[in-house]
Amino acid sequence: MNILVCITHVPDTTSRIAFTNNNTEFDKTGVQFIIGPYDDYALARAVELKERHGGKITVLNVGEADADPTIRKALAIGADEAVRINAFPSDSFFVANQIAAVAKAGEYDLILMGRESIDFNGGMVHGMVGELLGLPSFSPVMQLEVEGDSAKLTREIEGGKEKLEVKLPFVAGCQEPIAEWKIPNMRGIMSARTKPLEVKDPVDNTAHAELSNYELPPAKGAVKMVDADNLDELVNLLKNEAKVI
Amino acid sequence: MSILVFIETEEGKIKKSSREAISFGAALGETTALALGSVSEEELATAGQNGAAKVLHVADDRLNAGLIQPYAEAIAAAMESTGAEVLVTAKSSLADAVVGRVAAKTGAGLVSNVVALPDTSNGFVVKRSIYTGKAFANVSVTTDKKILAIKKNAIDLKQDGGAAAVEALSVSLDDALFGAKITATEKAEGDVLLPEADIVVSGGRGLKGPENWGMIEDLAKTLGAATGCSKPVSDMDWRPHHEHVGQTGVKVSPSLYIAVGISGAIQHLAGVNSSKYIVVINKDEEAPFFKAADYGVVGDAFDVVPKLNEALKKAL
Ligand SMILES: Cc1cc2nc3c(=O)[nH]c(=O)nc-3n(C[C@H](O)[C@H](O)[C@H](O)COP(=O)(O)OP(=O)(O)OC[C@H]3O[C@@H](n4cnc5c(N)ncnc54)[C@H](O)[C@@H]3O)c2cc1C
Ligand SMILES: Nc1ncnc2c1ncn2[C@@H]1O[C@H](COP(=O)(O)O)[C@@H](O)[C@H]1O
């Protein structure tokens, strides 16, 4: 089974967010980058499916050269080869076009992504790619089992979940508890160094949106502490000051 | 500008977030709402209160379940037949999965997590939430057609409109679009949906075990709130996965978020930082959550929560 896993290279979840250059660029100073947490679930499930059914895992990132260490980490976790489309991932349609081009060129039984990226949180790329390829797309997928040419999956719906049976191939945006995040072991790290990472130019430069600038939210005021023996005061504040109850 | 708003229903009622999306559309221009699957005409007519001039209803029973491909096809067809320039939808797990496809079908530029009306004084610039609520980006959409997915609770509800006219719309949906077979659906019924909720009461590992959630549920009941939890709590199966709030869970943006026995790890805060007011109850005065809170109570949850519930019952 051939699986394509699309990964983002994003600031660690604990990062302080700041901008430079007149609020037009993300400030990378001191920021640790990671595989997007949802993409990491997708990758972990791909590794499990490969263990079970055999085949090959290709990871794909649309990004600049600073994403290479993140891609190597995905190879260390268990992907067999990697492709990086060398471009700044500015717009989700642009990214989707790149992913669709790679997917068309290969024969993939499954295209796994995260439910959303944690930088722009669009949650949109999987649907776009599905449409561009004429394949079904599902998200957020919480469970995924493959049997022959079909799959059983569980999708989260608001306030619950739904089980589906579908034919391969398709696109899935993954989230927990589809698999547990995998930590690369020493052998994985060593072998990742020599696994192929192909860098390609983008196929098409169409974008649908451009960034004007970034903004930070206004700073939060100081917390008002209320004594645990005076909860009527808390109720009063919620009712008359915040006016939320 | 001509606007089409895709609306979702829950147990036969238009979702609050869809009403927000209609209000958003109505502030932009002539707004038509679009509903898929069986819903009563009376209910659909109430979209007028929020500013819809008209509601188009595709009453195809095959659309009663939220299926991604047929929904995308029907929405794209309605955009085409109404000549809509802007499609507006509430951001939801269904809409997320659907509108990417609609964008790719129609060539419309898509912006998600929109928090304010676009600035059309110079092009079409939209403000969206990014980095899980830690920042905003102003994005200029360059295509003729646009799709905006609106963040929940970011837009004031318009409620002073009249009744909307409901018209049937028929779209032809190929059987091939229905290839995915739904074999089971599990849904918590009657509860307030967490992503839609105006008040959320959440519990963390400080509550020690699932058997102690009664007091959280009681407090939520008094407030008409939804219940949420931290990630370890759903990982340990104390609570269902769909209640898990944070970076890797549900992002909530209620008027009031009450966190009980949650330390306030940055990944949890990422899911709640769009809340208007935050109350933190924690026995450790050093808990990081207090820094993100508006009101704080240092104390044992097992003592504070029941007392707070009594105080609220007295006052409400
Ligand atoms: C990539 C990544 C993504 C993550 N995503 C999420 C996410 O989406 N959501 C999320 O929640 N977490 C997430 N986490 C986990 C997060 O880092 C924290 O571990 C988690 O939020 C802690 O949960 P907690 O506050 O319930 O537990 P703890 O950190 O154990 O805190 C328990 C709190 O309860 C208090 N307490 C104990 N007893 C009482 C009592 N009797 N009365 C009152 N207070 C009491 C304690 O003082 C403490 O502050 C993520 C982590 C990673 C690495
Ligand atoms: N630049 C990128 N490179 C590779 N995959 C991506 C990229 N951006 C988004 N994706 C994939 O699409 C999913 C959804 O992203 P988004 O629509 O941006 O929230 C992510 O979880 C990734 O799997």
Side-chain angles (χ1 to χ4, degrees):
Chain A
M1 187 163 62
N2 284 336
I3 310 177
L4 181 66
V5 182
C6 303
I7 61 165
T8 52
H9 162 75
V10 289
D12 171 46
T13 51
T14 57
S15 305
R16 189 184 69 95
I17 303 299
F19 303 104
T20 58
N21 203 1
N22 250 335
N23 284 331
T24 58
E25 271 175 44
F26 178 74
D27 184 356
K28 293 183 187 165
T29 321
V31 172
Q32 167 96 31
F33 281 79
I34 57 167
I35 302 173
Y38 295 110
D39 314 344
D40 224 356
Y41 286 124
L43 178 61
R45 188 62 190 147
V47 171
E48 292 170 358
L49 289 171
K50 183 188 146 178
E51 273 164 13
R52 202 119 167 246
H53 303 278
K56 192 176 73 179
I57 301 171
T58 306
V59 285
L60 168 61
N61 169 258
V62 181
E64 296 175 308
D66 63 343
D68 285 348
T70 302
I71 299 172
R72 290 277 173 215
K73 185 172 174 211
L75 292 169
I77 287 171
D80 299 288
E81 56 181 42
V83 178
R84 177 167 63 80
I85 304 298
N86 190 25
F88 183 70
S90 55
D91 167 65
S92 43
F93 185 71
F94 169 80
V95 170
N97 260 328
Q98 309 311 318
I99 295 174
V102 172
K104 266 182 209 153
E107 301 232 318
Y108 297 103
D109 303 296
L110 271 179
I111 300 170
L112 301 186
M113 306 194 187
R115 82 172 280 177
E116 68 178 27
S117 56
I118 63 160
D119 47 3
F120 268 39
N121 310 104
M124 308 281 160
V125 168
H126 29 73
M128 286 181 182
V129 170
E131 188 64 36
L132 291 169
L133 295 172
L135 294 180
S137 54
F138 304 95
S139 181
V141 175
M142 304 167 69
Q143 272 167 338
L144 170 61
E145 298 293 343
V146 175
E147 280 160 36
D149 67 346
S150 59
K152 288 192 172 140
L153 50 89
T154 306
R155 191 173 89 84
E156 184 164 280
I157 52 178
E158 282 183 18
K161 49 193 170 183
E162 157 186 291
K163 288 192 180 358
L164 296 152
E165 275 177 26
V166 294
K167 287 265 177 272
L168 303 181
F170 57 85
V171 181
C174 305
Q175 75 169 28
E176 60 170 23
I178 195 161
E180 303 237 351
W181 289 320
K182 297 202 184 319
I183 299 162
N185 58 27
M186 215 24 162
R187 225 184 74 213
I189 296 169
M190 296 304 286
S191 68
R193 293 192 191 153
T194 52
K195 287 179 178 171
L197 192 175
E198 190 186 352
V199 179
K200 289 184 167 177
D201 287 329
V203 286
D204 177 346
N205 280 317
T206 317
H208 284 168
E210 298 164 359
L211 176 86
S212 302
N213 67 312
Y214 295 112
E215 276 176 45
L216 287 173
K220 191 124 196 151
V223 54
K224 270 191 195 167
M225 299 305 290
V226 177
D227 198 285
D229 292 321
N230 189 11
L231 294 168
D232 288 331
E233 173 60 10
L234 179 60
V235 173
N236 176 39
L237 287 167
L238 292 174
K239 205 169 171 180
N240 300 314
E241 187 178 80
K243 300 191 169 61
V244 287
I245 58 170
Chain B
M1 230 180 296
S2 103
I3 316 289
L4 183 69
V5 181
F6 163 56
I7 58 176
E8 289 179 57
T9 55
E10 181 70 36
E11 292 176 23
K13 301 275 175 223
I14 299 175
K15 284 166 72 174
K16 175 176 159 244
S17 55
S18 291
R19 294 193 182 276
E20 291 166 359
I22 299 168
S23 309
F24 184 101
L28 276 180
E30 173 82 11
T31 293
T32 302
L34 172 69
L36 307 179
S38 45
V39 203
S40 77
E41 262 198 37
E42 291 81 0
E43 176 64 15
L44 291 180
T46 66
Q49 291 164 10
N50 314 105
K54 183 164 88 180
V55 183
L56 296 176
H57 185 197
V58 184
D60 183 332
D61 280 344
R62 292 177 301 170
L63 298 175
N64 289 354
L67 289 164
I68 294 162
Q69 277 179 289
Y71 267 50
E73 184 72 29
I75 294 170
M79 271 180 88
E80 178 73 23
S81 71
T82 56
E85 294 161 82
V86 183
L87 173 72
V88 180
T89 165
K91 189 170 160 67
S92 72
S93 40
L94 177 63
D96 275 2
V98 168
V99 292
R101 297 193 77 104
V102 180
K105 266 182 207 294
T106 59
L110 167 58
V111 185
S112 178
N113 262 316
V114 172
V115 295
L117 287 171
D119 175 357
T120 52
S121 60
N122 183 12
F124 194 96
V125 179
V126 197
K127 183 170 177 176
R128 57 167 305 190
S129 160
I130 55 171
Y131 293 107
T132 330
K134 289 187 227 168
F136 300 100
N138 292 303
V139 183
S140 170
V141 190
T142 48
T143 46
D144 293 340
K145 284 188 183 154
K146 286 122 185 141
I147 304 179
L148 306 179
I150 315 297
K151 187 171 163 113
K152 287 177 181 175
N153 287 321
I155 302 297
D156 288 334
L157 262 190
K158 174 181 158 65
Q159 280 173 310
D160 56 358
V166 182
E167 283 174 26
L169 176 71
S170 94
V171 290
S172 83
L173 298 169
D174 198 295
D175 279 339
L177 295 169
F178 295 86
K181 201 169 96 216
I182 299 180
T183 54
T185 307
E186 274 172 46
K187 242 177 151 179
E189 268 174 48
D191 295 344
V192 184
L193 278 182
L194 178 58
E196 296 274 310
D198 199 42
I199 302 183
V200 176
V201 182
S202 259
R205 200 145 55 178
L207 290 172
K208 312 280 190 283
E211 66 282 5
N212 297 324
W213 243 261
M215 63 182 188
I216 297 290
E217 278 164 355
D218 289 346
L219 182 60
K221 199 162 166 232
T222 304
L223 289 164
T227 51
C229 65
S230 65
K231 182 170 188 293
V233 165
S234 66
D235 285 350
M236 292 180 293
D237 277 333
W238 294 1
R239 300 297 293 174
H241 178 265
H242 65 255
E243 287 198 0
H244 148 206
V245 170
Q247 177 105 49
T248 48
V250 180
K251 281 96 195 163
V252 296
S253 38
S255 304
L256 175 61
Y257 187 80
I258 303 182
V260 185
I262 304 179
S263 57
I266 194 154
Q267 294 96 352
H268 187 81
L269 297 183
V272 307
N273 54 17
S274 306
S275 309
K276 291 202 179 85
Y277 285 89
I278 296 178
V279 172
V280 169
I281 300 168
N282 198 301
K283 70 170 185 194
D284 173 10
E285 60 180 326
E286 300 289 330
F289 219 145
F290 285 118
K291 290 203 183 68
D294 298 278
Y295 305 113
V297 181
V298 176
D300 186 335
F302 296 92
D303 167 49
V304 174
V305 172
K307 279 203 299 201
L308 175 60
N309 195 16
E310 289 314 310
L312 281 164
K313 277 190 190 153
K314 242 185 339 176
L316 293 178

